[in-house]
Amino acid sequence: RKRVFSGIQPTADSFHVGNYLGAIRQWVPLQETHETIYCVVDLHAITIEQDPKLLRQRTRIAAAQLLAAGIDPARSILFVQSHVPEHAQLAWVLTCMTGFGEASRMTQFKDKSGKQGAANTNVGLFTYPMLMAADVLLYNADAVPVGEDQRQHLELTRDLAQRFNGRYGDYFTVPDPYIIEAVGKITDLQDPGAKMSKSASSPNGIIELLDDPKVSAKKIRSAVTDTEREIRYDEENKAGVSNLLSIYSALDGRTIPELEQAYEGKGYGDLKKDLAELFTEFVTPFRERTHAILAEPDKLDAVLAEGAAKARTIAARTLAEVYDRTGFLPAA
Ligand code: ATP
Ligand code: MG
């Protein structure tokens, strides 16, 4: 079986619909066909300042949402990144193999550091892609299901794998991105040019899975559209409507042309109202499952401990091999 790895940051009280459609929804069926390893990446989360108490709480909430979405610990390894120290250890080796210029070209760093200003940007945000490369390469993953925004980081991961293999002999699997184009970039409801983001979107721009569905419905109804009336997919000129159609199609199963036809002669208000209903229907059982899982934190922690133990056996083997090839003297 080929292996899949992916991760998500515990940087908010809830995942948003972009996280779900762009990434997590793909994680579930991959369990049938692949060996799957999924991680709540708390080490990545502290590249932006986090409140310790909240971070701990959000890590559990993130894991609970993954379980509620259908990640099955009997079939997947589900764990928390900081429980497996090899991630940070391999990241250092990869950091020392990354050019400063090459890291400087990462658009996520430019975006996030630009928003915060240089004075508030820590070096971890800059080395984030090397930690992500370590996450993937530790498990020799073949494929990484992510949103479009992570394509460039995966490109770097591939380069680092090839560089290591070239320098020290073939060892790492060079991973492929697994990105579904139709849902790879769900955009902000208030700013349809920007991706929906846990830490950067305004409250009205983001549809959170754990929010009261009434609140989400209101946000959908007030999503930015355009001054035309026609319901038509056109990313360039009708980014807002196109985004709503993408979300609608992903949740409903009908294709975008089918939806365009169904809404011929109808208004944006109709589309929004129906999408709000569809979203409520989808999210209601998801929220119930998440809350039920969170009501038993000991059980949840035990699932994560078991996942970490499984992940560590793989990660330790990889790190030992990397250390050896790098030329580190083994501890006697
Ligand atoms: P943050 O703002 O803290 O970076 P985020 O919303 O970008 O949060 P991440 O935890 O960084 O979420 O990413 C988790 C997964 O969700 C990744 O695979 C990422 O590519 C995907 N993803 C994030 N935002 C979107 C989006 N708007 N559309 C599709 N996929 C997305
Ligand atoms: Mg992100």
Side-chain angles (χ1 to χ4, degrees), residues 195-227:
K195 93 166 186 78
M196 192 180 282
S197 152
K198 279 194 244 95
S199 45
S201 288
S202 68
N204 282 332
I206 187 172
I207 310 176
E208 291 188 310
L209 303 184
L210 296 180
D211 223 346
D212 179 344
K214 286 199 192 82
V215 173
S216 301
K218 204 169 154 205
K219 291 182 188 180
I220 292 169
R221 285 197 305 270
S222 52
V224 166
T225 49
D226 53 66
T227 52

Short mmCIF file of all heavy atoms in Angstrom, two decimals, residues 195-227:
data_model
loop_
_atom_site.label_atom_id
_atom_site.label_comp_id
_atom_site.label_asym_id
_atom_site.label_seq_id
_atom_site.Cartn_x
_atom_site.Cartn_y
_atom_site.Cartn_z
N LYS A 195 -7.60 33.36 0.08
CA LYS A 195 -8.06 32.06 0.56
C LYS A 195 -8.71 32.22 1.93
O LYS A 195 -8.30 33.07 2.73
CB LYS A 195 -6.91 31.06 0.59
CG LYS A 195 -6.17 30.95 1.91
CD LYS A 195 -5.28 29.72 1.94
CE LYS A 195 -4.68 29.55 3.33
NZ LYS A 195 -5.59 28.97 4.32
N MET A 196 -9.71 31.41 2.21
CA MET A 196 -10.28 31.37 3.55
C MET A 196 -9.21 30.83 4.47
O MET A 196 -8.55 29.85 4.14
CB MET A 196 -11.52 30.47 3.56
CG MET A 196 -12.37 30.58 4.81
SD MET A 196 -13.81 29.48 4.76
CE MET A 196 -14.94 30.37 3.69
N SER A 197 -8.99 31.49 5.63
CA SER A 197 -7.88 31.11 6.49
C SER A 197 -8.27 31.20 7.95
O SER A 197 -8.98 32.12 8.36
CB SER A 197 -6.71 32.06 6.20
OG SER A 197 -5.88 32.21 7.31
N LYS A 198 -7.81 30.20 8.74
CA LYS A 198 -8.14 30.17 10.16
C LYS A 198 -7.63 31.42 10.85
O LYS A 198 -8.31 32.01 11.67
CB LYS A 198 -7.48 28.96 10.83
CG LYS A 198 -8.25 27.67 10.65
CD LYS A 198 -7.73 26.62 11.63
CE LYS A 198 -7.11 25.45 10.88
NZ LYS A 198 -5.67 25.55 10.74
N SER A 199 -6.40 31.81 10.53
CA SER A 199 -5.80 32.89 11.30
C SER A 199 -5.85 34.24 10.60
O SER A 199 -5.62 35.26 11.25
CB SER A 199 -4.37 32.54 11.71
OG SER A 199 -3.67 32.00 10.63
N ALA A 200 -6.17 34.28 9.30
CA ALA A 200 -6.13 35.58 8.62
C ALA A 200 -7.50 36.12 8.20
O ALA A 200 -7.65 37.33 8.03
CB ALA A 200 -5.22 35.50 7.40
N SER A 201 -8.51 35.25 8.05
CA SER A 201 -9.80 35.75 7.58
C SER A 201 -10.53 36.52 8.68
O SER A 201 -10.38 36.21 9.86
CB SER A 201 -10.69 34.58 7.14
OG SER A 201 -10.23 34.03 5.93
N SER A 202 -11.33 37.49 8.26
CA SER A 202 -12.17 38.21 9.21
C SER A 202 -13.31 37.27 9.62
O SER A 202 -13.63 36.34 8.88
CB SER A 202 -12.74 39.46 8.55
OG SER A 202 -13.66 39.08 7.54
N PRO A 203 -13.92 37.51 10.78
CA PRO A 203 -14.99 36.61 11.25
C PRO A 203 -16.08 36.37 10.20
O PRO A 203 -16.55 35.25 10.05
CB PRO A 203 -15.55 37.32 12.47
CG PRO A 203 -14.44 38.18 12.97
CD PRO A 203 -13.63 38.56 11.76
N ASN A 204 -16.45 37.40 9.46
CA ASN A 204 -17.53 37.21 8.47
C ASN A 204 -17.05 36.55 7.18
O ASN A 204 -17.86 36.17 6.35
CB ASN A 204 -18.20 38.55 8.15
CG ASN A 204 -19.16 38.96 9.25
OD1 ASN A 204 -19.71 38.10 9.94
ND2 ASN A 204 -19.33 40.26 9.42
N GLY A 205 -15.74 36.44 7.04
CA GLY A 205 -15.20 35.85 5.82
C GLY A 205 -15.08 34.34 5.87
O GLY A 205 -14.82 33.69 4.87
N ILE A 206 -15.25 33.79 7.07
CA ILE A 206 -14.92 32.39 7.29
C ILE A 206 -16.14 31.60 7.77
O ILE A 206 -16.90 32.08 8.61
CB ILE A 206 -13.75 32.34 8.32
CG1 ILE A 206 -13.21 30.93 8.49
CG2 ILE A 206 -14.13 32.91 9.66
CD1 ILE A 206 -11.94 30.93 9.34
N ILE A 207 -16.34 30.41 7.21
CA ILE A 207 -17.43 29.54 7.68
C ILE A 207 -16.81 28.46 8.56
O ILE A 207 -16.09 27.59 8.06
CB ILE A 207 -18.17 28.85 6.51
CG1 ILE A 207 -18.58 29.86 5.45
CG2 ILE A 207 -19.38 28.08 7.03
CD1 ILE A 207 -19.24 29.21 4.23
N GLU A 208 -17.07 28.54 9.85
CA GLU A 208 -16.48 27.60 10.79
C GLU A 208 -17.42 26.42 11.04
O GLU A 208 -18.61 26.61 11.27
CB GLU A 208 -16.16 28.30 12.10
CG GLU A 208 -15.02 29.29 11.94
CD GLU A 208 -14.56 29.86 13.27
OE1 GLU A 208 -15.41 30.32 14.05
OE2 GLU A 208 -13.34 29.83 13.51
N LEU A 209 -16.84 25.23 11.03
CA LEU A 209 -17.67 24.03 11.15
C LEU A 209 -18.35 23.93 12.51
O LEU A 209 -19.46 23.41 12.61
CB LEU A 209 -16.83 22.77 10.91
CG LEU A 209 -16.08 22.67 9.57
CD1 LEU A 209 -15.39 21.31 9.46
CD2 LEU A 209 -17.01 22.87 8.38
N LEU A 210 -17.68 24.42 13.55
CA LEU A 210 -18.25 24.25 14.89
C LEU A 210 -19.11 25.44 15.33
O LEU A 210 -19.65 25.45 16.42
CB LEU A 210 -17.15 23.97 15.91
CG LEU A 210 -16.39 22.65 15.69
CD1 LEU A 210 -15.32 22.46 16.75
CD2 LEU A 210 -17.35 21.46 15.68
N ASP A 211 -19.21 26.44 14.48
CA ASP A 211 -20.04 27.59 14.78
C ASP A 211 -21.52 27.17 14.76
O ASP A 211 -21.87 26.17 14.13
CB ASP A 211 -19.81 28.65 13.69
CG ASP A 211 -19.69 30.03 14.26
OD1 ASP A 211 -20.04 30.21 15.44
OD2 ASP A 211 -19.24 30.93 13.53
N ASP A 212 -22.35 27.96 15.43
CA ASP A 212 -23.79 27.76 15.31
C ASP A 212 -24.17 27.88 13.82
O ASP A 212 -23.85 28.89 13.19
CB ASP A 212 -24.47 28.86 16.14
CG ASP A 212 -25.99 28.78 16.09
OD1 ASP A 212 -26.52 28.09 15.19
OD2 ASP A 212 -26.62 29.42 16.94
N PRO A 213 -24.83 26.89 13.26
CA PRO A 213 -25.16 26.94 11.82
C PRO A 213 -25.98 28.18 11.45
O PRO A 213 -25.92 28.64 10.31
CB PRO A 213 -25.97 25.67 11.58
CG PRO A 213 -25.66 24.76 12.71
CD PRO A 213 -25.25 25.61 13.87
N LYS A 214 -26.71 28.73 12.41
CA LYS A 214 -27.47 29.96 12.12
C LYS A 214 -26.52 31.11 11.80
O LYS A 214 -26.78 31.94 10.94
CB LYS A 214 -28.35 30.33 13.31
CG LYS A 214 -29.56 29.44 13.48
CD LYS A 214 -30.61 30.13 14.35
CE LYS A 214 -31.69 29.15 14.79
NZ LYS A 214 -31.28 28.34 15.98
N VAL A 215 -25.41 31.15 12.54
CA VAL A 215 -24.40 32.18 12.30
C VAL A 215 -23.77 31.98 10.92
O VAL A 215 -23.60 32.94 10.15
CB VAL A 215 -23.33 32.15 13.42
CG1 VAL A 215 -22.18 33.09 13.10
CG2 VAL A 215 -23.95 32.50 14.77
N SER A 216 -23.45 30.72 10.61
CA SER A 216 -22.86 30.42 9.30
C SER A 216 -23.82 30.78 8.17
O SER A 216 -23.41 31.32 7.15
CB SER A 216 -22.47 28.94 9.21
OG SER A 216 -21.54 28.63 10.22
N ALA A 217 -25.09 30.48 8.39
CA ALA A 217 -26.10 30.78 7.36
C ALA A 217 -26.13 32.28 7.09
O ALA A 217 -26.19 32.72 5.94
CB ALA A 217 -27.47 30.28 7.81
N LYS A 218 -26.05 33.06 8.16
CA LYS A 218 -26.05 34.51 8.01
C LYS A 218 -24.82 34.99 7.23
O LYS A 218 -24.91 35.87 6.38
CB LYS A 218 -26.09 35.15 9.41
CG LYS A 218 -26.65 36.52 9.40
CD LYS A 218 -26.92 37.03 10.80
CE LYS A 218 -26.87 38.55 10.80
NZ LYS A 218 -26.54 39.09 12.12
N LYS A 219 -23.68 34.38 7.53
CA LYS A 219 -22.46 34.76 6.81
C LYS A 219 -22.57 34.42 5.32
O LYS A 219 -22.13 35.18 4.47
CB LYS A 219 -21.25 34.03 7.40
CG LYS A 219 -20.86 34.47 8.80
CD LYS A 219 -19.63 33.71 9.26
CE LYS A 219 -19.32 33.98 10.72
NZ LYS A 219 -18.12 33.22 11.16
N ILE A 220 -23.16 33.27 5.04
CA ILE A 220 -23.32 32.87 3.63
C ILE A 220 -24.25 33.87 2.93
O ILE A 220 -23.96 34.32 1.83
CB ILE A 220 -23.88 31.42 3.53
CG1 ILE A 220 -22.82 30.43 4.01
CG2 ILE A 220 -24.33 31.10 2.10
CD1 ILE A 220 -23.32 29.00 4.20
N ARG A 221 -25.33 34.25 3.64
CA ARG A 221 -26.27 35.19 3.03
C ARG A 221 -25.64 36.56 2.79
O ARG A 221 -26.05 37.28 1.89
CB ARG A 221 -27.53 35.32 3.88
CG ARG A 221 -28.46 34.10 3.76
CD ARG A 221 -29.86 34.43 4.27
NE ARG A 221 -29.85 34.93 5.64
CZ ARG A 221 -29.95 34.17 6.73
NH1 ARG A 221 -30.08 32.86 6.60
NH2 ARG A 221 -29.91 34.70 7.92
N SER A 222 -24.62 36.92 3.59
CA SER A 222 -24.01 38.24 3.37
C SER A 222 -22.67 38.15 2.63
O SER A 222 -21.91 39.11 2.62
CB SER A 222 -23.87 38.98 4.70
OG SER A 222 -23.21 38.17 5.63
N ALA A 223 -22.41 37.02 2.00
CA ALA A 223 -21.17 36.88 1.23
C ALA A 223 -21.12 37.91 0.10
O ALA A 223 -22.13 38.22 -0.51
CB ALA A 223 -21.07 35.47 0.66
N VAL A 224 -19.92 38.40 -0.15
CA VAL A 224 -19.73 39.38 -1.23
C VAL A 224 -19.95 38.69 -2.58
O VAL A 224 -19.42 37.60 -2.83
CB VAL A 224 -18.29 39.96 -1.16
CG1 VAL A 224 -17.93 40.71 -2.43
CG2 VAL A 224 -18.14 40.86 0.06
N THR A 225 -20.74 39.32 -3.46
CA THR A 225 -20.92 38.78 -4.81
C THR A 225 -20.53 39.84 -5.83
O THR A 225 -19.41 40.34 -5.79
CB THR A 225 -22.35 38.27 -5.02
OG1 THR A 225 -23.27 39.27 -4.60
CG2 THR A 225 -22.61 36.99 -4.26
N ASP A 226 -21.43 40.19 -6.74
CA ASP A 226 -21.13 41.22 -7.73
C ASP A 226 -22.43 41.89 -8.12
O ASP A 226 -23.50 41.51 -7.65
CB ASP A 226 -20.42 40.60 -8.95
CG ASP A 226 -21.20 39.43 -9.52
OD1 ASP A 226 -22.32 39.66 -10.05
OD2 ASP A 226 -20.71 38.29 -9.43
N THR A 227 -22.37 42.87 -9.02
CA THR A 227 -23.56 43.65 -9.33
C THR A 227 -24.40 43.05 -10.46
O THR A 227 -25.45 43.57 -10.79
CB THR A 227 -23.17 45.10 -9.70
OG1 THR A 227 -22.17 45.01 -10.72
CG2 THR A 227 -22.61 45.84 -8.51
#
